Amino acid sequence: GGCRDDLLVIDGERVPLLVEGTSAVPCDDVALTLPAGTHRVDATGPAVERVVFDTMTLSAASTAAGT
């Protein structure tokens, strides 16, 4: 157990992850928030086969701008 910061890097910043079986979640239930635009995502180490972002939340400002 425990958090690991050697598996995922986003825009040059290490992302601490809690590995649970064959998946991982951000440590301390902290949501990853990425601003709009292009981002570099690097999965490091042989243990990472893929990275899946499965939730997208739009802020009220973003929603209003899109209408």
Side-chain angles (χ1 to χ4, degrees):
C3 290
R4 295 184 58 177
D5 70 352
D6 62 336
L7 299 175
L8 182 65
V9 179
I10 299 177
D11 296 336
E13 298 290 325
R14 292 177 182 262
V15 178
L17 298 173
L18 177 62
V19 178
E20 299 177 333
T22 59
S23 62
V25 295
C27 291
D28 302 322
D29 289 327
V30 175
L32 296 175
T33 302
L34 299 175
T38 302
H39 300 278
R40 181 178 177 113
V41 177
D42 294 303
T44 60
V48 179
E49 293 181 7
R50 67 182 174 164
V51 176
V52 178
F53 295 95
D54 68 356
T55 302
M56 185 173 93
T57 303
L58 299 175
S59 69
S62 297
T63 304
T67 58

